[in-house]
Amino acid sequence: MDRRNFLKNSMIAGGALLAGKKLAALETAVPPQAAGAISSAAIAAARFPKDFLWGMATSSYQVEGAWNTDGKGESIWDRAAHTPGKIRDGSNGDVACDQYHHYKEDIAIVKSLNMKSYRFSTSWPRILPEGTGKVNQKGLDYYSRLVDSLLEANIRPFCTLYHWDLPQALEDRGGWPNRDLASYYADFAAILAKNLGDRVTVWAPFNMPTEFTRDGYGTGGAPPFKTNIDQFLKAAHTVNLAQGMAFRAIKAASSKATVGSAYGMEPVYPKTDSEADRAAAARFHNYNNIYCLEPIFHGTYPKAFIGEIPYEAMGFKPGDEKIMKVPLDWLGVHYYVRLLASDASNGAPPDTSSHDPLAQIRIELAGEGPKTDGGLEMWPHGLYDLMMQVSRDYDHPIIEITETGGVFMDAPGADGRVADLRRIEFYRQHLAELARAMKDGARVRAYHAWSLLDNFEWGSGFTQRYGLTYVDFATRKRTIKDSGLWYGRVAATGRLDV
Ligand code: FCB
């Protein structure tokens, strides 16, 4: 939602607005000399270590389907997708890729592509239909079967506990701005860790905490569509408390657990060299990239806004700094796009799309590089910059790339093959930049492509294909794309010129 939001207003409206804008014309391949392209010499030279964890990612609502099967409760995404006008193509995730019933087939694909890691998420209302209280054993059993099948295939299960599908029952009790959710969430995390912690060793409490709180409660771009900046501040604070509490709960339940989190980050560059724009870029980095990371590392909030840190509005209580601060075992980072920031604090037109009266920044996409079919610029160099920045600022943490990917709408040709050459080029170039960052000291141990499957892309419904596997949404038939086959060869060889 994130990157699209700042330009398109929101994940949902992002869908709506993008719908009004035609998808970029399909091109056949990335021009070799495109701005920002990585040289073929650098690609040929790139090497990854033998034990590098090649992986793919998905999330529960986007792939599982089975929205009301086996006792699952309603989530805020079920509610949103069942509300007319919220999803660009009028679709919903009721069935999605039906991974709930096809998980064995999906794991077989992951295995056939030599993957070592599969990042999935658990649906809170599948486990606790009301958000708290009675556990739905059938929901737990599903994830237990999924984990067992992954282990049988020699694939590391990477569990994201929360990828945006809050139980509707908890939204009805105030949602994330309600501080009580921190302890409800920690209870949910403990249930998962008790039941799967003998087999799952890698846990990410949240996917993109800043984005889902900001878009859900501040900008109105995502469920539950609230537009109140104080509600966002409260929601993000609850989530930061929840991260710390879940970290402890998971560790208490499973001695094998390692806990990180998955942050959406966009490297942000000043639009001009002016001091004001450089300050705006720094402010936006604090707001967009590390607002929910600094509390974990240091127990404090970064200076993300004009003026003082709004502790009172967020409902900060003495001692909260100790609850939030925990020693993460590793850091998860998504990279999709770079951003340009300029100052809007001096009467310049504010960025109305971000609806943010506190940061006073104008954010734009850069337009030098070629575009994906989703309209985002491809800028592999941004991944290098991000890796170096995070490594420098957080004293070289172990990093897992939790997502990168792009929309390319290629479909099966007459021979049944999906020749998505631009996606291959996209990954090849990003991975070359990742290899360079690793050579320069970034401790990256894993890379998860988004996504194993074409899936339900939130407010854009089924109109944006991110998969390395094509899904025919009428039949749920899976076809591994050429990019998937290529990525499988990369995983087998540790090279990009394959
Ligand atoms: C990320 C989300 C993921 C998917 C990709 C395209 O921000 O985590 O669920 O929507 O974007």
Side-chain angles (χ1 to χ4, degrees):
M1 41 189 180
D2 49 77
R3 53 216 157 261
R4 293 182 287 285
N5 277 351
F6 280 98
L7 300 162
K8 311 296 178 203
N9 197 5
S10 71
M11 173 162 67
I12 289 289
L17 285 163
L18 274 169
K21 178 177 172 265
K22 293 246 173 345
L23 286 179
L26 296 184
E27 297 154 339
T28 47
V30 176
Q33 294 317 327
I38 308 306
S39 75
S40 38
I43 284 166
R47 294 286 181 280
F48 287 84
K50 278 226 150 7
D51 58 354
F52 193 71
L53 292 161
W54 296 100
M56 290 171 161
T58 58
S59 84
S60 47
Y61 188 71
Q62 292 179 279
V63 301
E64 281 177 1
W67 80 281
N68 60 357
T69 304
D70 288 344
K72 178 181 163 295
E74 185 189 20
S75 79
I76 56 173
W77 268 98
D78 292 315
R79 178 69 62 94
H82 292 155
T83 306
K86 295 295 188 195
I87 309 296
R88 187 204 294 188
D89 57 1
S91 65
N92 58 54
D94 289 3
V95 183
C97 305
D98 201 17
Q99 186 170 81
Y100 192 77
H101 297 108
H102 290 261
Y103 69 93
K104 287 199 171 143
E105 184 184 342
D106 289 343
I107 292 170
I109 294 174
V110 179
K111 182 179 159 82
S112 78
L113 298 179
N114 308 310
M115 294 294 112
K116 295 276 179 293
S117 178
Y118 179 62
R119 174 172 176 254
F120 64 96
S121 78
T122 44
S123 157
W124 187 345
R126 203 179 281 294
I127 308 290
L128 291 155
E130 294 299 317
T132 58
K134 195 168 160 11
V135 172
N136 177 33
Q137 187 59 40
K138 287 189 173 163
L140 268 179
D141 290 347
Y142 168 67
Y143 293 111
S144 187
R145 291 195 298 276
L146 180 76
V147 165
D148 284 344
S149 304
L150 286 165
L151 291 173
E152 265 163 42
N154 220 358
I155 298 162
R156 180 189 72 158
F158 173 133
C159 180
T160 303
L161 285 161
Y162 182 87
H163 199 127
W164 306 348
D165 38 2
L166 184 71
Q168 181 63 42
L170 291 184
E171 185 49 45
D172 295 343
R173 291 160 78 176
W176 285 110
N178 173 1
R179 193 179 161 106
D180 293 346
L181 260 73
S183 60
Y184 301 156
Y185 174 79
D187 292 346
F188 162 61
I191 291 168
L192 263 307
K194 273 183 200 138
N195 282 276
L196 305 180
D198 54 335
R199 289 157 288 158
V200 173
T201 59
V202 184
W203 302 88
F206 288 104
N207 182 69
M208 304 175 69
T210 309
E211 289 81 352
F212 77 77
T213 50
R214 179 185 65 208
D215 297 346
Y217 299 94
T219 68
F225 309 111
K226 302 273 164 62
T227 51
N228 179 325
I229 204 77
D230 281 2
Q231 291 282 295
F232 153 64
L233 293 170
K234 286 195 170 54
H237 188 53
T238 306
V239 165
N240 287 328
L241 295 168
Q243 292 203 81
M245 289 162 70
F247 177 96
R248 295 182 185 89
I250 295 166
K251 293 268 182 177
S254 162
S255 58
K256 296 184 192 170
T258 68
V259 185
S261 220
Y263 294 93
M265 295 199 186
E266 282 97 24
V268 44
Y269 305 87
K271 186 165 182 193
T272 73
D273 204 31
S274 73
E275 205 174 303
D277 284 358
R278 279 189 277 128
R283 210 154 65 232
F284 190 69
H285 172 72
N286 289 348
Y287 175 32
N288 189 61
N289 296 337
I290 60 168
Y291 190 72
C292 292
L293 182 57
E294 286 282 299
I296 300 286
F297 269 85
H298 304 303
T300 52
Y301 279 90
K303 278 214 62 128
F305 309 122
I306 298 271
E308 293 310 308
I309 297 175
Y311 284 112
E312 209 180 307
M314 62 177 82
F316 195 98
K317 293 191 182 160
D320 283 358
E321 65 283 0
K322 296 206 185 69
I323 300 175
M324 300 190 295
K325 187 175 167 191
V326 284
L328 288 187
D329 295 299
W330 49 270
L331 181 61
V333 177
H334 306 352
Y335 171 64
Y336 284 91
V337 80
R338 67 166 168 161
L339 297 173
L340 302 180
S342 46
D343 181 52
S345 64
N346 269 334
D351 183 352
T352 49
S353 67
S354 80
H355 291 294
D356 172 30
L358 297 175
Q360 306 266 311
I361 302 165
R362 187 168 190 83
I363 293 298
E364 303 162 44
L365 285 180
E368 266 175 275
K371 290 202 170 69
T372 67
D373 294 339
L376 295 184
E377 182 199 34
M378 292 185 238
W379 199 255
H381 188 59
L383 180 57
Y384 175 86
D385 285 349
L386 194 56
M387 291 299 98
M388 300 320 285
Q389 182 174 14
V390 164
S391 299
R392 200 176 48 238
D393 292 354
Y394 293 96
D395 196 16
H396 291 85
I398 295 170
I399 298 174
E400 299 226 357
I401 302 294
T402 32
E403 292 180 21
T404 63
V407 177
F408 298 98
M409 296 302 287
D410 309 270
D415 57 358
R417 263 184 57 204
V418 183
D420 55 339
L421 304 182
R422 290 171 301 157
R423 183 175 280 105
I424 295 178
E425 219 36 59
F426 176 100
Y427 279 111
R428 209 198 292 273
Q429 299 200 8
H430 282 75
L431 284 165
E433 283 295 84
L434 186 66
R436 187 160 73 91
M438 290 164 69
K439 217 165 150 214
D440 290 349
R443 295 168 67 203
V444 184
R445 73 171 181 204
Y447 182 88
H448 299 86
W450 184 271
S451 172
L452 163 64
L453 301 169
D454 292 335
N455 58 45
F456 180 83
E457 180 49 30
W458 308 114
S460 300
F462 295 112
T463 65
Q464 299 208 335
R465 293 183 180 270
Y466 273 96
L468 281 82
T469 303
Y470 185 88
V471 177
D472 177 332
F473 291 108
T475 61
R476 319 289 152 198
K477 179 172 180 266
R478 278 89 161 126
T479 305
I480 300 174
K481 300 181 189 178
D482 283 2
S483 59
L485 299 170
W486 172 83
Y487 189 49
R489 293 196 293 277
V490 171
T493 60
R495 306 176 60 122
L496 303 175
D497 53 352
V498 290

